[in-house]
């Protein structure tokens, strides 16, 4: 097994204006349309709860919006039972030469500091998702590719 991957990002150019792309990803409720795991969201101001599913496994995460820069970046920090898990985000930049907007989805694992909090957070992740922490980056990369394709199709009506 190789060295643990602590961050992942994937990009795609979408034939839509940056403002439209940003507005879509900055609404956590819309993520239900695109995500490979998320099936419901409850929004409360700058915070929201995500309800996730992988096969028969179901879990929730608590999220707090960390970055909200219109037409540029939207990101949120994820915790589980008060333990830091990750930051998920989207960078949006106009790509006039390519006729659209580059959207980059990224994930940063926040379970880096050794100790009991990391051990418990990684154990919770394994129990809820059946994915060892060392494989989460690989799973997230595959999910990001699907998510970005679905966002593109949703906004343009065309396959990416």
């Amino acid at each position: 097994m190789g060295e643990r991957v602590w961050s992942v990002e994937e990009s795609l150019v979408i034939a839509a204006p940056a403002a439209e792309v940003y507005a879509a990803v900055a609404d956590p409720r819309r993520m239900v349309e695109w995500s490979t795991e998320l099936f419901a969201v409850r929004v409360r101001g700058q915070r929201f709860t995500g309800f996730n599913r992988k096969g028969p496994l179901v879990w929730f995460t608590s999220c707090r919006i960390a970055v909200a820069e219109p037409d540029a970046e939207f990101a949120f920090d994820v915790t589980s039972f008060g333990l830091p898990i990750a930051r998920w985000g989207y960078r949006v930049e106009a790509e006039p030469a390519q006729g659209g907007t580059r959207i980059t989805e990224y994930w940063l694992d926040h379970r880096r500091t050794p100790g009991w909090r990391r051990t418990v957070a990684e154990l919770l992740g394994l129990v809820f998702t059946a994915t060892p922490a060392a494989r989460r980056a690989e799973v997230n990369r595959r999910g990001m590719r699907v998510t970005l394709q679905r966002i593109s199709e949703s906004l343009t009506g065309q396959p990416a």
Side-chain angles (χ1 to χ4, degrees):
M1 185 177 222
E3 189 173 323
R4 176 136 172 210
V5 177
W6 296 97
S7 64
V8 175
E9 66 178 50
E10 288 288 324
S11 294
L12 181 69
V13 175
I14 297 176
E20 184 179 341
V21 175
Y22 177 84
V25 298
D27 181 353
R29 294 171 292 240
R30 299 248 1 233
M31 193 52 59
V32 172
E33 300 172 44
W34 312 311
S35 175
T36 58
E37 292 181 347
L38 185 71
F39 70 88
V41 173
R42 181 172 172 244
V43 177
R44 296 174 319 280
Q46 295 295 104
R47 297 183 179 276
F48 59 96
T49 303
F51 298 90
N52 304 280
R53 176 180 295 134
K54 180 179 174 187
L57 304 172
V58 176
W59 70 96
F60 71 92
T61 56
S62 300
C63 306
R64 182 187 55 77
I65 296 171
V67 180
E69 297 175 18
D71 306 342
E73 185 175 5
F74 179 80
F76 54 93
D77 290 327
V78 178
T79 61
S80 184
F81 296 102
L83 299 171
I85 304 298
R87 173 170 286 184
W88 283 90
Y90 298 89
R91 289 188 299 274
V92 174
E93 53 191 310
E95 289 278 353
Q98 295 186 40
T101 300
R102 176 171 303 281
I103 180 173
T104 301
E105 182 175 12
Y106 65 90
W107 167 82
L108 307 170
D109 194 334
H110 281 180
R111 298 169 295 182
R112 292 184 78 118
T113 305
W116 72 268
R117 294 171 65 83
R118 174 178 169 179
T119 302
V120 171
E122 289 181 348
L123 180 61
L124 288 172
L126 179 60
V127 168
F128 293 145
T129 70
T131 302
R135 286 197 50 241
R136 193 65 197 174
E138 162 193 336
V139 169
N140 288 348
R141 183 179 300 281
R142 284 195 311 265
M144 287 174 177
R145 290 176 181 151
V146 172
T147 298
L148 292 173
Q149 293 286 329
R150 289 176 179 171
I151 291 170
S152 179
E153 290 174 16
S154 173
L155 297 179
T156 67
Q158 303 291 319

